[in-house]
Amino acid sequence: MLVLVVALAGTATLWAWRVQAADTARAQAVQRAQQQATADAAADDWRVQHEAAASRSRAARTLAQAQQDLTAAVDQAQAVLVATEGQVGDDTVRQALADTLAAAQVPGASVVAVQAQVGSVQAAEAAVTAAHTAWQAEQTAAAARAQASATDEPTTGTSTGGSGAAGSCTTTYTGPAFYTSVPSEGGDGSNGRLPASALSALSWTVDEHGTPFYLATAAAAALERLDGAFLAAFGHHLDVDLTYRDYATQVAMREALGSIAAVPGTSSHGTGLALDVPERPCEYGWDTVQRRWLVANGPSYGWVSPSWARQGGSNPEYWHYEYRG
């Protein structure tokens, strides 16, 4: 009987241990499941935050690119606005572009808004460009009509190979004739004493004596390019009257013309960096199509009408241009 009691007690103990072991295993399994769930939740949260940050970064980059596109569009349109002043038939289109540019100074807060601004600026610029192209065509046509109808005889004209407009306009020059100079023999490089190595002849024209027109090499190269654009715009080469002026010619001009001519040794012509077109007011005068074209387009090639030579300047000369590089 005692043996049976002991056996039963051992069996009960073993059973209790197994139950406890099973409970412990279940508890550990539950704990591991909870830990895994926590880890999965943390991973999901990290992925969500990472994807949100990546999305914000992509949106920021897209907005930054749109703003850069807007800046580039504004800069280009601003250049067009400046370049077309007085060179469109109806200035309404330029005013519309100016208003659009003013509005674009405050970029939109979203990509869509900024892209809409870019489109508005480009559309307004295209309208101005089209108006300018139409204006240029009309001016060219008007110049051709004027050239065809003019019949007055000139009193001077020293260039050949240009427009051939010797019969189209009376010159405003009444002094003695002067001609372009050739490089100085043994020139020391000073004003009016430039050697041949410092000068180049223009390719398309000579004076009425057959003498080439010389300019400093860089100035001549730039004028060749300018003449190409002038030829495309007007159908004839740029007329040239005087270019390089040696010291002796400067002295002669000062004696003949007085203070109108530069003090010898100071003339911009003596540096090979200046030219005169013919003094024909109906072709190159203040309000002519050709002068407006030269003033507007010359600076792109380094050639300008200096402030002192403009209307209202200290010595107005519509025929004078200088190379500034």
Side-chain angles (χ1 to χ4, degrees):
M1 183 68 175
L2 178 61
V3 174
L4 179 60
V5 171
V6 172
L8 290 174
T11 301
T13 300
L14 179 61
W15 177 258
W17 178 83
R18 289 177 177 174
V19 170
Q20 183 179 8
D23 290 342
T24 300
R26 283 194 296 272
Q28 290 174 341
V30 169
Q31 185 179 22
R32 286 195 298 271
Q34 291 174 338
Q35 290 174 342
Q36 184 62 49
T38 300
D40 291 344
D44 289 342
D45 185 58
W46 181 88
R47 282 194 297 272
V48 169
Q49 293 182 9
H50 179 73
E51 290 173 358
S55 178
R56 289 193 298 270
S57 179
R58 287 193 298 270
R61 288 196 300 271
T62 303
L63 179 58
Q65 182 60 56
Q67 290 172 337
Q68 289 178 4
D69 293 343
L70 178 60
T71 298
V74 167
D75 289 345
Q76 179 174 321
Q78 185 64 49
V80 170
L81 187 66
V82 172
T84 57
E85 182 177 3
Q87 297 184 28
V88 294
D90 183 357
D91 207 53
T92 302
V93 291
R94 292 184 70 257
Q95 185 58 54
L97 177 55
D99 294 343
T100 302
L101 290 174
Q105 295 304 311
V106 181
S110 68
V111 173
V112 172
V114 175
Q115 289 175 338
Q117 288 177 304
V118 172
S120 296
V121 170
Q122 291 175 336
E125 178 204 335
V128 172
T129 300
H132 176 59
T133 300
W135 178 88
Q136 286 181 313
E138 175 57 31
Q139 296 300 306
T140 300
R145 290 193 297 270
Q147 198 168 10
S149 63
T151 57
D152 292 339
E153 290 294 327
T155 58
T156 64
T158 61
S159 171
T160 62
S163 68
S168 67
C169 190
T170 300
T171 182
T172 54
Y173 179 70
T174 58
F178 291 97
Y179 299 92
T180 195
S181 303
V182 297
S184 304
E185 290 292 336
D188 60 10
S190 61
N191 189 302
R193 297 186 176 89
L194 300 183
S197 60
L199 298 170
S200 295
L202 301 180
S203 66
W204 74 89
T205 182
V206 295
D207 69 18
E208 63 183 23
H209 290 168
T211 303
F213 288 100
Y214 289 94
L215 286 169
T217 298
L223 192 65
E224 293 280 350
R225 295 191 294 272
L226 175 61
D227 177 66
F230 187 92
L231 177 63
F234 294 98
H236 65 82
H237 288 287
L238 178 69
D239 293 291
V240 180
D241 185 39
L242 289 171
T243 52
Y244 172 61
R245 187 174 300 160
D246 63 19
Y247 187 84
T249 303
Q250 294 181 46
V251 172
M253 292 188 72
R254 184 73 175 186
E255 291 175 350
L257 304 176
S259 60
I260 294 176
V263 174
T266 68
S267 172
S268 57
H269 287 275
T271 65
L273 300 175
L275 71 86
D276 292 342
V277 296
E279 293 184 37
R280 295 199 291 264
C282 67
E283 291 182 61
Y284 293 101
W286 298 117
D287 297 320
T288 59
V289 175
Q290 295 185 157
R291 175 174 169 79
R292 287 198 296 268
W293 189 95
L294 287 169
V295 171
N297 295 278
S300 297
Y301 301 87
W303 283 93
V304 303
S305 172
S307 58
W308 61 263
R310 297 197 180 197
Q311 283 181 305
S314 59
N315 187 28
E317 294 183 355
Y318 64 78
W319 54 88
H320 183 86
Y321 297 87
E322 296 181 359
Y323 179 69
R324 300 290 172 79

